[in-house]
Amino acid sequence: MTERAAPPPKGTTRRNVLKAAAGVGAAAVAGPLLTAGPASAATIVHPGMLHTAADFTRMAAKVAAAAQPWQDDWAVLIANSHSLSTYTANPQSIIYRGDGSIENYPVLYNDIAAAYQNALRWKIQGVGEHGNAARDILNAWSSTLTQLSGSADRFLSSGIYGYEIANAGEIMRGYSGFDLTAFQNLLRNVFYPLSNDFLLNHNGAYVTNYWASWDLCNMACVLATGILCDDQAKIDQAITYFQSGAGMGAIENAVPYVYDDQGLAQWQESGRDQGHTMLGIGLMATVCEMAWHQGYDLYGYDSNRFMKACEYVARYNLGEDVPFTDYTWHKGAPGVWEGWETFTEVATGSRGQARPIWAQIYNHYAVRKGLFVPNTAAYAKIVEPEGGGGDYGSTSGGYDHLGLTQLTSTEQSRTTLPTGVTRSLQSVNYPTYYASYGSDSLGALTQVTSGSSSAVKQQASYTIVAGLADSKGYSFRSSDGRYLRHYAFRIELDASDGTDAFNADATFYALAGSTSGSVRLVSHNYPGRCIRHRNYQLWVDTYDLVSGTFPADSSFVPVTAWA
C-alpha cells in the first residue's frame, strides 16, 4: 500500500452472480499527463466539455440506427419529462440553498436538467423545437440570475449547478438566438466567484473540514467556466488544483491510500457513506472527462490513481470486501470550534446506490485505454440504462450528475448477430479450429475440416438465439437442445434447468473482436470476462485487450455452420 504525500492530521451482496466480476483488478500502466504548455484561447476545443463534435456525430448515428446500447438510453431520455420541448423555465434572481433561508434551488436544478436534455435531443435528432427550448431556458436564467445565496450549501450550488449549466450552454454555442455573451457573464459573475472563493478559502474552515465532493464540484465549475469563456487561466487553475491543491478534492487527498497489489485505492469519503462516495467519484469523472477533451489526461494521472479508486468503490458497492486504512479528519473552523473524527471501516450507508456515472468511466478505461476494470464494468452493467435529472427522485441527489453517459460516452458498439440461424465460431488466430465441446461436454477449441466426422462437425455448430437472460444478448444452442454456458468459469454444454442462474450463465453480448467480422463474446453476469481459448480449452476469462495473445484468443468469426 502507498499513501498520499502527507497523511491526514491525527486527532449482502447485491448480485452473487457478479462476484468474480467484482474481483481484484490488475494495476495498470498509466498514460502520461499531457504536458503541452498553456494553450491560447484559439486552441480551446468547442464543444469541449463532457461532449465533443465527434461524440454528437456518433450519438446521432447510433440512435438513427437504433444501435445498442445507445438506443436503450435514448429511450430513457425521451421518456423524461424534462426533455420535452414544451418545458418552460422558471428563472429566479436569487437562488437560496441551505439553512436560514427559504430554499428555492430545486427550480434551478430542474431547469438545468431540462436545458441539457433538450440540448441533447436537438444535437442528436436535429429537431428545432428542442434547440429552441434549451436556448430559451438558458437565456432566461442568464438574464435573470444575479446571486447564489444561503448557508455553506451555496458552494454546492455554485459547483454542481455551475458545471451543469455550463455544459448545457456549451452544447448550444452558436445556436440561433442563444445569447452566449450573457451566458458567459452568468458563469463569470455568478457561479465562478463562489467556486473560486471556496477553493481558496473553504468558507473559512479547516481545509480538511469539507469533503472531496465539495472541492470537486467547484473544480468542475472552474474548469467548465474556463472552457466556456475561452479562459485558459481558469482551465490551468482547475488542472493545477486537481494535481496539487490543498483541499480534499485534489487527487492525492481524494484518494489517500492506494493498494497497488490489489489494483484498488480508498476514496476519501468511503468511511462516511456510499452515496457521497459515489457523488465524489462522479464529480471527479466529470473533471477528468472535460480535461480529457481539452488535452489533459487526469484520468491517468499518478499511475491511474483515479481508476483504482473507481475499482475500489465499485467493488464494495457490488457487495464485496475491500481493504480499509483508518482515516482521521479535522473538522471545524479556526477560532470557532473544532473536532476530530476517525473512520475505522468502510461505511455501509447507501451501499449499492445507483448513480448515472459508470458508463463514462468504463468507456474511458476499458474502451479508450484497453485497461482491465472488472468492478467498474460490473457496476456499469447494473445501472444501465442510465437516466438523467428527474429519473432518480425529486431531491437534489437525483440531479447531482447530468447522467445519460451510456448514450453520450459509449464508444464501443455491440455487434448484432443473426438469430434463428446456425453458425460455427471460427478462431481468429487458429482458423482451422472452432469453438466446440468434447464427450465430457466441456468447451474446447477443436480442429474441424471437410474430412472431419459428422459428429465433430455437429459439435462445432450452434443455433444463435436471443439471450436467455437478456434478449439484447445471445445464447448458443446445440442440435440436441443444450446450451453453451460457463460453470466455474469453464465453458460447457448443459441442458437448461430454467433457473435465472443458468440463463445468466448462458447469455453473452457480442462486441467487435480483434479482426474485421470477428466478435468477442462477453459474459452477461460477469461483464469483465469473455470467452477465450487457452490450451485448446474454452474459458470465461478476465480480459486484457492490450497485451499478449488475449485479443486474438478471445475473438471468433461466425461462419457458415459445419452441420
Short mmCIF file of all heavy atoms in Angstrom, two decimals, residues 109-147:
data_model
loop_
_atom_site.label_atom_id
_atom_site.label_comp_id
_atom_site.label_asym_id
_atom_site.label_seq_id
_atom_site.Cartn_x
_atom_site.Cartn_y
_atom_site.Cartn_z
N TYR A 109 -32.08 23.39 -10.47
CA TYR A 109 -31.59 22.11 -10.99
C TYR A 109 -32.59 21.44 -11.92
O TYR A 109 -32.19 20.71 -12.83
CB TYR A 109 -31.09 21.18 -9.87
CG TYR A 109 -32.05 20.65 -8.83
CD1 TYR A 109 -33.13 19.83 -9.15
CD2 TYR A 109 -31.80 20.89 -7.48
CE1 TYR A 109 -33.95 19.31 -8.16
CE2 TYR A 109 -32.61 20.37 -6.48
CZ TYR A 109 -33.69 19.57 -6.83
OH TYR A 109 -34.50 19.03 -5.85
N ASN A 110 -33.89 21.70 -11.75
CA ASN A 110 -34.84 21.17 -12.72
C ASN A 110 -34.71 21.85 -14.06
O ASN A 110 -34.73 21.19 -15.11
CB ASN A 110 -36.27 21.33 -12.17
CG ASN A 110 -36.69 20.20 -11.26
OD1 ASN A 110 -37.07 19.13 -11.72
ND2 ASN A 110 -36.60 20.43 -9.95
N ASP A 111 -34.54 23.16 -14.06
CA ASP A 111 -34.39 23.87 -15.33
C ASP A 111 -33.10 23.49 -16.04
O ASP A 111 -33.06 23.41 -17.28
CB ASP A 111 -34.45 25.38 -15.08
CG ASP A 111 -35.87 25.90 -14.90
OD1 ASP A 111 -36.79 25.06 -14.77
OD2 ASP A 111 -36.07 27.13 -14.87
N ILE A 112 -32.03 23.27 -15.28
CA ILE A 112 -30.77 22.85 -15.91
C ILE A 112 -30.94 21.48 -16.56
O ILE A 112 -30.50 21.26 -17.70
CB ILE A 112 -29.63 22.81 -14.88
CG1 ILE A 112 -29.28 24.22 -14.42
CG2 ILE A 112 -28.39 22.13 -15.46
CD1 ILE A 112 -28.30 24.27 -13.25
N ALA A 113 -31.60 20.56 -15.87
CA ALA A 113 -31.83 19.24 -16.45
C ALA A 113 -32.62 19.36 -17.74
O ALA A 113 -32.34 18.67 -18.74
CB ALA A 113 -32.56 18.34 -15.45
N ALA A 114 -33.61 20.25 -17.75
CA ALA A 114 -34.41 20.43 -18.96
C ALA A 114 -33.59 21.03 -20.09
O ALA A 114 -33.72 20.62 -21.26
CB ALA A 114 -35.62 21.31 -18.65
N ALA A 115 -32.76 22.02 -19.78
CA ALA A 115 -31.93 22.63 -20.82
C ALA A 115 -30.97 21.61 -21.41
O ALA A 115 -30.82 21.51 -22.64
CB ALA A 115 -31.15 23.81 -20.24
N TYR A 116 -30.33 20.85 -20.55
CA TYR A 116 -29.35 19.85 -21.02
C TYR A 116 -30.03 18.77 -21.84
O TYR A 116 -29.55 18.41 -22.93
CB TYR A 116 -28.64 19.24 -19.82
CG TYR A 116 -27.68 18.13 -20.18
CD1 TYR A 116 -26.46 18.40 -20.79
CD2 TYR A 116 -27.99 16.79 -19.89
CE1 TYR A 116 -25.58 17.38 -21.12
CE2 TYR A 116 -27.10 15.76 -20.21
CZ TYR A 116 -25.91 16.07 -20.82
OH TYR A 116 -25.04 15.06 -21.15
N GLN A 117 -31.13 18.25 -21.37
CA GLN A 117 -31.79 17.15 -22.07
C GLN A 117 -32.38 17.61 -23.40
O GLN A 117 -32.34 16.87 -24.39
CB GLN A 117 -32.84 16.51 -21.18
CG GLN A 117 -32.23 15.77 -19.99
CD GLN A 117 -33.24 15.18 -19.03
OE1 GLN A 117 -34.38 14.90 -19.41
NE2 GLN A 117 -32.84 14.99 -17.78
N ASN A 118 -32.93 18.80 -23.45
CA ASN A 118 -33.41 19.32 -24.73
C ASN A 118 -32.25 19.60 -25.67
O ASN A 118 -32.36 19.38 -26.89
CB ASN A 118 -34.24 20.59 -24.50
CG ASN A 118 -35.71 20.28 -24.26
OD1 ASN A 118 -36.45 20.00 -25.20
ND2 ASN A 118 -36.11 20.31 -23.00
N ALA A 119 -31.12 20.08 -25.13
CA ALA A 119 -29.95 20.29 -25.98
C ALA A 119 -29.46 18.99 -26.58
O ALA A 119 -29.10 18.93 -27.77
CB ALA A 119 -28.84 20.96 -25.15
N LEU A 120 -29.46 17.92 -25.78
CA LEU A 120 -29.08 16.61 -26.33
C LEU A 120 -30.04 16.18 -27.43
O LEU A 120 -29.60 15.70 -28.49
CB LEU A 120 -29.09 15.56 -25.22
CG LEU A 120 -27.92 15.50 -24.24
CD1 LEU A 120 -28.10 14.32 -23.30
CD2 LEU A 120 -26.59 15.40 -24.98
N ARG A 121 -31.32 16.32 -27.21
CA ARG A 121 -32.28 15.90 -28.22
C ARG A 121 -32.12 16.70 -29.51
O ARG A 121 -32.24 16.15 -30.62
CB ARG A 121 -33.71 16.02 -27.68
CG ARG A 121 -34.01 15.05 -26.55
CD ARG A 121 -35.48 14.99 -26.19
NE ARG A 121 -36.28 14.40 -27.26
CZ ARG A 121 -37.56 14.08 -27.14
NH1 ARG A 121 -38.19 14.29 -25.99
NH2 ARG A 121 -38.22 13.55 -28.15
N TRP A 122 -31.80 17.97 -29.38
CA TRP A 122 -31.55 18.77 -30.59
C TRP A 122 -30.31 18.28 -31.32
O TRP A 122 -30.32 18.09 -32.54
CB TRP A 122 -31.41 20.25 -30.23
CG TRP A 122 -30.84 21.04 -31.36
CD1 TRP A 122 -31.40 21.22 -32.60
CD2 TRP A 122 -29.57 21.70 -31.39
NE1 TRP A 122 -30.55 21.97 -33.40
CE2 TRP A 122 -29.43 22.27 -32.67
CE3 TRP A 122 -28.56 21.87 -30.45
CZ2 TRP A 122 -28.30 23.01 -33.02
CZ3 TRP A 122 -27.44 22.61 -30.80
CH2 TRP A 122 -27.32 23.16 -32.08
N LYS A 123 -29.21 18.09 -30.60
CA LYS A 123 -27.97 17.67 -31.25
C LYS A 123 -28.09 16.29 -31.87
O LYS A 123 -27.47 16.02 -32.90
CB LYS A 123 -26.83 17.68 -30.24
CG LYS A 123 -26.38 19.06 -29.80
CD LYS A 123 -25.79 19.88 -30.93
CE LYS A 123 -24.43 19.39 -31.35
NZ LYS A 123 -23.79 20.30 -32.33
N ILE A 124 -28.85 15.41 -31.26
CA ILE A 124 -28.92 14.03 -31.74
C ILE A 124 -29.92 13.89 -32.88
O ILE A 124 -29.67 13.17 -33.84
CB ILE A 124 -29.25 13.09 -30.57
CG1 ILE A 124 -28.07 13.04 -29.58
CG2 ILE A 124 -29.58 11.68 -31.07
CD1 ILE A 124 -28.37 12.32 -28.29
N GLN A 125 -31.05 14.58 -32.79
CA GLN A 125 -32.09 14.42 -33.82
C GLN A 125 -32.27 15.65 -34.69
O GLN A 125 -32.93 15.58 -35.73
CB GLN A 125 -33.42 14.05 -33.18
CG GLN A 125 -33.52 12.57 -32.79
CD GLN A 125 -34.95 12.15 -32.52
OE1 GLN A 125 -35.72 12.91 -31.93
NE2 GLN A 125 -35.31 10.96 -32.94
N GLY A 126 -31.69 16.78 -34.31
CA GLY A 126 -31.80 17.98 -35.13
C GLY A 126 -33.18 18.62 -35.13
O GLY A 126 -33.49 19.38 -36.05
N VAL A 127 -33.99 18.33 -34.12
CA VAL A 127 -35.35 18.89 -34.06
C VAL A 127 -35.28 20.28 -33.42
O VAL A 127 -34.90 20.42 -32.25
CB VAL A 127 -36.29 17.97 -33.27
CG1 VAL A 127 -37.68 18.59 -33.14
CG2 VAL A 127 -36.37 16.61 -33.95
N GLY A 128 -35.68 21.29 -34.19
CA GLY A 128 -35.52 22.67 -33.75
C GLY A 128 -36.27 23.02 -32.49
O GLY A 128 -35.82 23.87 -31.71
N GLU A 129 -37.43 22.39 -32.26
CA GLU A 129 -38.20 22.72 -31.06
C GLU A 129 -37.40 22.46 -29.79
O GLU A 129 -37.51 23.20 -28.81
CB GLU A 129 -39.50 21.90 -31.03
CG GLU A 129 -40.55 22.37 -32.02
CD GLU A 129 -40.35 21.78 -33.41
OE1 GLU A 129 -39.31 21.11 -33.62
OE2 GLU A 129 -41.22 22.00 -34.28
N HIS A 130 -36.57 21.40 -29.81
CA HIS A 130 -35.77 21.10 -28.64
C HIS A 130 -34.61 22.09 -28.49
O HIS A 130 -34.28 22.52 -27.38
CB HIS A 130 -35.25 19.67 -28.71
CG HIS A 130 -36.33 18.65 -28.55
ND1 HIS A 130 -36.98 18.44 -27.36
CD2 HIS A 130 -36.89 17.80 -29.45
CE1 HIS A 130 -37.89 17.49 -27.52
NE2 HIS A 130 -37.86 17.10 -28.78
N GLY A 131 -34.02 22.48 -29.61
CA GLY A 131 -32.99 23.51 -29.55
C GLY A 131 -33.55 24.82 -29.04
O GLY A 131 -32.91 25.51 -28.21
N ASN A 132 -34.73 25.18 -29.50
CA ASN A 132 -35.36 26.42 -29.04
C ASN A 132 -35.65 26.36 -27.54
O ASN A 132 -35.46 27.35 -26.82
CB ASN A 132 -36.67 26.66 -29.80
CG ASN A 132 -36.43 26.95 -31.27
OD1 ASN A 132 -35.32 27.26 -31.68
ND2 ASN A 132 -37.49 26.83 -32.07
N ALA A 133 -36.11 25.20 -27.08
CA ALA A 133 -36.42 25.06 -25.65
C ALA A 133 -35.16 25.23 -24.81
O ALA A 133 -35.17 25.96 -23.80
CB ALA A 133 -37.06 23.70 -25.38
N ALA A 134 -34.07 24.56 -25.20
CA ALA A 134 -32.81 24.68 -24.45
C ALA A 134 -32.32 26.13 -24.47
O ALA A 134 -31.91 26.68 -23.43
CB ALA A 134 -31.76 23.75 -25.05
N ARG A 135 -32.36 26.75 -25.63
CA ARG A 135 -31.93 28.15 -25.76
C ARG A 135 -32.73 29.06 -24.84
O ARG A 135 -32.17 29.89 -24.11
CB ARG A 135 -32.09 28.61 -27.21
CG ARG A 135 -31.82 30.09 -27.45
CD ARG A 135 -32.44 30.54 -28.76
NE ARG A 135 -33.90 30.43 -28.71
CZ ARG A 135 -34.68 30.39 -29.81
NH1 ARG A 135 -34.12 30.44 -31.01
NH2 ARG A 135 -35.98 30.31 -29.68
N ASP A 136 -34.06 28.90 -24.86
CA ASP A 136 -34.91 29.80 -24.09
C ASP A 136 -34.71 29.63 -22.59
O ASP A 136 -34.75 30.61 -21.83
CB ASP A 136 -36.37 29.56 -24.46
CG ASP A 136 -36.68 29.96 -25.91
OD1 ASP A 136 -35.84 30.66 -26.52
OD2 ASP A 136 -37.74 29.55 -26.42
N ILE A 137 -34.51 28.39 -22.15
CA ILE A 137 -34.25 28.16 -20.72
C ILE A 137 -32.96 28.86 -20.30
O ILE A 137 -32.91 29.56 -19.29
CB ILE A 137 -34.18 26.65 -20.43
CG1 ILE A 137 -35.53 25.99 -20.66
CG2 ILE A 137 -33.71 26.41 -18.99
CD1 ILE A 137 -35.47 24.46 -20.68
N LEU A 138 -31.91 28.67 -21.09
CA LEU A 138 -30.61 29.25 -20.74
C LEU A 138 -30.63 30.77 -20.82
O LEU A 138 -30.07 31.46 -19.96
CB LEU A 138 -29.53 28.67 -21.65
CG LEU A 138 -29.31 27.16 -21.52
CD1 LEU A 138 -28.30 26.68 -22.56
CD2 LEU A 138 -28.85 26.78 -20.12
N ASN A 139 -31.26 31.31 -21.85
CA ASN A 139 -31.37 32.77 -21.95
C ASN A 139 -32.15 33.36 -20.78
O ASN A 139 -31.81 34.44 -20.27
CB ASN A 139 -32.05 33.16 -23.26
CG ASN A 139 -31.14 33.06 -24.47
OD1 ASN A 139 -29.93 32.89 -24.33
ND2 ASN A 139 -31.71 33.16 -25.65
N ALA A 140 -33.19 32.65 -20.35
CA ALA A 140 -34.00 33.15 -19.24
C ALA A 140 -33.17 33.26 -17.96
O ALA A 140 -33.26 34.25 -17.22
CB ALA A 140 -35.20 32.24 -19.02
N TRP A 141 -32.34 32.28 -17.71
CA TRP A 141 -31.51 32.31 -16.50
C TRP A 141 -30.37 33.31 -16.61
O TRP A 141 -30.05 34.01 -15.64
CB TRP A 141 -30.98 30.90 -16.19
CG TRP A 141 -32.02 30.07 -15.51
CD1 TRP A 141 -32.90 29.20 -16.07
CD2 TRP A 141 -32.32 30.07 -14.10
NE1 TRP A 141 -33.72 28.65 -15.13
CE2 TRP A 141 -33.39 29.15 -13.91
CE3 TRP A 141 -31.80 30.73 -13.00
CZ2 TRP A 141 -33.94 28.90 -12.65
CZ3 TRP A 141 -32.34 30.48 -11.74
CH2 TRP A 141 -33.40 29.59 -11.57
N SER A 142 -29.76 33.42 -17.78
CA SER A 142 -28.62 34.36 -17.90
C SER A 142 -29.08 35.81 -17.80
O SER A 142 -28.28 36.70 -17.46
CB SER A 142 -27.87 34.12 -19.20
OG SER A 142 -28.68 34.40 -20.33
N SER A 143 -30.36 36.06 -18.08
CA SER A 143 -30.87 37.43 -17.99
C SER A 143 -31.54 37.72 -16.64
O SER A 143 -31.98 38.86 -16.42
CB SER A 143 -31.89 37.68 -19.11
OG SER A 143 -33.02 36.83 -18.98
N THR A 144 -31.59 36.72 -15.76
CA THR A 144 -32.33 36.88 -14.50
C THR A 144 -31.48 36.64 -13.26
O THR A 144 -31.52 37.42 -12.30
CB THR A 144 -33.55 35.94 -14.47
OG1 THR A 144 -34.36 36.17 -15.61
CG2 THR A 144 -34.36 36.15 -13.20
N LEU A 145 -30.70 35.56 -13.24
CA LEU A 145 -29.99 35.16 -12.03
C LEU A 145 -28.82 36.10 -11.75
O LEU A 145 -27.98 36.34 -12.61
CB LEU A 145 -29.47 33.73 -12.17
CG LEU A 145 -28.73 33.15 -10.97
CD1 LEU A 145 -29.64 33.06 -9.75
CD2 LEU A 145 -28.16 31.77 -11.30
N THR A 146 -28.78 36.63 -10.52
CA THR A 146 -27.71 37.54 -10.13
C THR A 146 -26.93 37.08 -8.91
O THR A 146 -25.84 37.60 -8.65
CB THR A 146 -28.27 38.94 -9.83
OG1 THR A 146 -29.21 38.85 -8.74
CG2 THR A 146 -28.95 39.54 -11.05
N GLN A 147 -27.46 36.10 -8.16
CA GLN A 147 -26.81 35.75 -6.90
C GLN A 147 -27.15 34.33 -6.47
O GLN A 147 -28.28 33.86 -6.66
CB GLN A 147 -27.26 36.73 -5.80
CG GLN A 147 -26.58 36.52 -4.45
CD GLN A 147 -27.07 37.50 -3.40
OE1 GLN A 147 -27.86 38.39 -3.69
NE2 GLN A 147 -26.61 37.33 -2.17
#
